Amino acid sequence: MAANTSPDAPLPVGEVSRLIGGWIDRLGAVWVEGQITQLSRRPGAGVVFLTLRDPSYDISVAVTCFRQVFEAVADVVREGSRVVVHAKPEWYAPRGQLSLRAAEIRPVGVGELLARLEQLKRSLAQEGLFAADRKKPLPFLPQLIGLVCGRASAAERDVLENARHRWPAVRFEVRNVPVQGVHAVPQVVQAVKELDARDDVDVIVVARGGGSVEDLLPFSDEQLIRAVAACRTPVVSAIGHEPDSPLLDLVADVRASTPTDAAKKVVPDVGEEYERVRGLRDRARRSVEAFLDREERGLAAAVSRPSIQDPHRMVDEREEQVAALAQRARRTLGHLLDRAESDLTHTHARVVALSPAATLQRGYAVLQKADGHVVRAPAEAAPGERLRARVAEGEFTVDVAADGDALTAGGAAPKDSSAAPAGAAPAERTEDPTEEVRDDRA
């Protein structure tokens, strides 16, 4: 219960210490887990003094036990070991100090530690802290590398020497921190946060040499895992050797098997890059030379073609062909015209031979009535009827006389109805040229 006090009626220090001791005495014994940070075994003393620390919360409490209690685990327990203590809280009134009186100490075995780490691993994996899509790629050539490692450690030397051997111009920002023990987790977390806050740091390397499972426990601490997961700068984990697998390897963007491997992953090798550039340059040169050679051969082949060497040759060849074809066409057309002319001549001769005019030229005459009807028989002409006689050189009229009288032409010729002009054939013996003329006109 709270004591009734006031500025006028304060409690003495001794009374306050007594009251605190009374309250603590009412607490029962508890099982407490922690890491031993200090161990004091004074020769001849019957009491052993320990300091038990929680690395995750940076809280320590003093523990005392009788020598026989500690001697039971003295062979397996040392500073840095994790233990489970069954103790009762005690209050030392003269100094106002709280401590635990241990009745039993049990070391935490490797199997139990691994089981707890596996449970923490599953829990963090369910939160997505180990997801591959969270991984950030490393820069090709970092200008400034943040290095978190132990002071003057082999891991620091391996990273620095190998990185500078690969790329001499690389720069480092080193943070030396404890890499094991109770102070490792808070200082490593602080160093990582400081480097991540700097804009000129391109990548952060957390390096440590090999060790036992207990030595590497700080790099599986939940507080450190969450701090690395929150970094915006790529983080490389180089803890221990190849078989070692702290949880930091899972949350880091890149996992290196050793500190030397971390230097190889973070910094490119200047010799290899030079060889790669030279190889690419040689490859580019060969490609250009091959292209030029190919184009040169193609140009030479094009120039060697007859059409390029003698461009008029094709025209000349075609000119001869055209001339030959034109001459052939001219001959063919001449033959066709000659044949057509011959046919036309023959046809003209036949037409002339069969025309009424040719018949008239031979001395025949055509007698026509006034209506144009051709007289073919003497009975068709009546005595005294006037007919029109058509001859080769023109025409004239004739009168048909009675039987025995002569035919007169225009009153001057003899009136002989059956006779034609001198040299002309009789009318009844003439062909019917009028119909041929009509047929020709049609």
Side-chain angles (χ1 to χ4, degrees), residues 101-162:
R101 173 69 67 170
E104 183 179 357
I105 300 176
R106 295 182 182 180
V108 178
V110 175
E112 186 175 358
L113 287 176
L114 294 178
R116 293 181 183 180
L117 289 179
E118 187 64 27
Q119 182 179 3
L120 178 60
K121 176 181 176 180
R122 288 195 299 268
S123 176
L124 296 177
Q126 290 176 358
E127 296 183 26
L129 298 185
F130 304 152
D133 55 359
R134 295 185 63 260
K135 308 295 184 181
K136 295 177 286 294
L138 297 180
F140 169 72
L141 181 59
Q143 301 299 316
L144 182 62
I145 301 174
L147 176 61
V148 180
C149 59
R151 184 180 302 276
S153 61
E156 178 182 4
R157 183 176 61 256
D158 290 344
V159 174
L160 296 180
E161 290 182 358
N162 283 278

Side-chain angles (χ1 to χ4, degrees), residues 279-313:
L280 292 175
R281 185 174 56 192
D282 294 342
R283 180 180 175 184
R285 183 185 296 108
R286 289 194 300 270
S287 298
V288 173
E289 291 176 352
F291 175 78
L292 293 177
D293 292 341
R294 184 170 60 254
E295 295 301 319
E296 192 174 296
R297 290 193 300 270
L299 182 60
V303 171
S304 63
R305 293 178 181 176
S307 59
I308 301 299
Q309 290 185 342
D310 188 5
H312 298 285
R313 179 180 179 182

